[in-house]
Amino acid sequence: MAFSKSPVPQREVRRAQLDLSFDNQSLLGALFGQFDANLVQVENRLGVFISARGNELHLEGPEDSVARARDVLRAMYDKLAVGQDLDAGLIESIIAMSDEPTLDGIVDAEPGERAGMPPIMIRTRRKTIVPRSATQATYMRSLVRDDIIFALGPAGTGKTYLAVAQAVAQLITGSVQRLILSRPAVEAGEKLGFLPGDMKDKVDPYLRPLYDALYDCMPPEQVERRLASGEIEIAPIAFMRGRTLADAFVILDEAQNTTREQMKMFLTRFGQNSRMVVCGDPRQVDIPGGDRMSGLADAVEKLEGVDGFGTIRFTAADVVRHPIVGRIVEAYEGPTV
């Protein structure tokens, strides 16, 4: 006698409608985006329908999605109200953060001020930077609290950029006297061969991402002036040997490509009134011997949990470049746990 399985009842999706109004009509153009592109982005990502009339928005769709869309639109409006610009990347980050149950105080604009605490942000000469993921918020707190921070994770999560921004902010305020940016000079799989020019010409191609982050946080003429005066120094890790780096904010990028000896040498350069940030992707080791020879993995294993050290781990879910970058990382490295 055959038994047929009863179909599993599907949970009924409750539909909802909701109206939102905004007081400052001068912000609505930036809120909606050119040809309502921002609203379309929220619609497509959350599966809701949004219609605009004057300073009011009407939202329809699944109940949970409508609630998230409401929070996202309010957060977008609040960011515009405090002078921040909206772009597709920031909107994508707000949408992602709206699904974090612990982020009520970060998704809303200026939440810390209402709670009597300062908001999470980094102010530089060119822009004000706010977290675009839950992990970025944790990282930004660590950047002002811990002496040495290990920032681990894939490309596009803001590890180096946020470290450079924090360093620039501290240099501007005078809490550190120097900004030192370093990287191991290791090719990512290809052999570049002989490079013409002096030492600076030879190593600059390896350090270009650090220059890019600097120029994004400071006017070009200030970067050039501070480079010339020595307030900002960009050099391969080999140049760190024998030095004590006091009153400095020191950043090591692509740290997964250091050897154990290089990492020990670098960390022991730490001096009075300094901060170090060590950034790297443990899955992108380009040195001979691979993961087992990486100074980054060795250092994290030895020092994680030691007083004064912070360790922040980013995943593909924290990628803040174009959304497709996160999907590429996930395809190569597996889904976010």
Side-chain angles (χ1 to χ4, degrees), residues 94-219:
I94 295 171
I95 293 170
M97 293 172 73
S98 72
D99 199 30
E100 291 282 349
T102 60
L103 283 184
D104 294 341
I106 298 172
V107 174
D108 295 334
E110 304 309 309
E113 290 183 350
R114 290 196 291 270
M117 297 172 60
I120 303 170
M121 62 175 59
I122 299 172
R123 296 185 186 275
T124 69
R125 288 280 164 81
R126 299 195 69 175
K127 58 175 62 178
T128 297
I129 299 161
V130 296
R132 293 192 171 195
S133 74
T135 311
Q136 280 198 359
T138 303
Y139 183 39
M140 290 167 71
R141 291 189 187 100
S142 182
L143 286 171
V144 298
R145 180 188 65 230
D146 298 315
D147 294 322
I148 299 179
I149 301 104
F150 293 111
L152 315 174
T157 51
K159 305 183 301 296
T160 304
Y161 184 86
L162 290 176
V164 171
Q166 179 65 29
V168 167
Q170 292 193 214
L171 186 65
I172 291 170
T173 61
S175 59
V176 297
Q177 301 304 311
R178 292 182 296 166
L179 167 52
I180 299 173
L181 308 174
S182 186
R183 239 184 169 201
V186 176
E187 296 100 338
E190 68 275 20
K191 298 298 181 184
L192 300 183
F194 175 76
L195 292 173
D198 59 18
M199 180 59 70
K200 183 177 185 300
D201 294 329
K202 293 177 189 298
V203 300
D204 270 2
Y206 298 103
L207 305 171
R208 191 72 249 168
L210 299 175
Y211 283 103
D212 292 342
L214 268 179
Y215 285 117
D216 204 40
C217 295
M218 295 180 75

Side-chain angles (χ1 to χ4, degrees), residues 210-264:
L210 299 175
Y211 283 103
D212 292 342
L214 268 179
Y215 285 117
D216 204 40
C217 295
M218 295 180 75
E221 63 276 8
Q222 285 199 24
V223 175
E224 298 300 330
R225 177 170 56 81
R226 292 176 187 265
L227 282 167
S229 70
E231 290 178 84
I232 298 176
E233 179 182 347
I234 303 179
I237 190 172
F239 286 31
M240 299 295 108
R241 189 173 298 279
R243 303 176 63 183
T244 299
L245 306 175
D247 296 306
F249 200 116
V250 190
I251 300 170
L252 175 60
D253 194 25
E254 297 293 333
Q256 75 276 4
N257 288 327
T258 59
T259 64
R260 296 178 184 181
E261 292 75 17
Q262 285 177 322
M263 180 61 73
K264 179 183 176 183

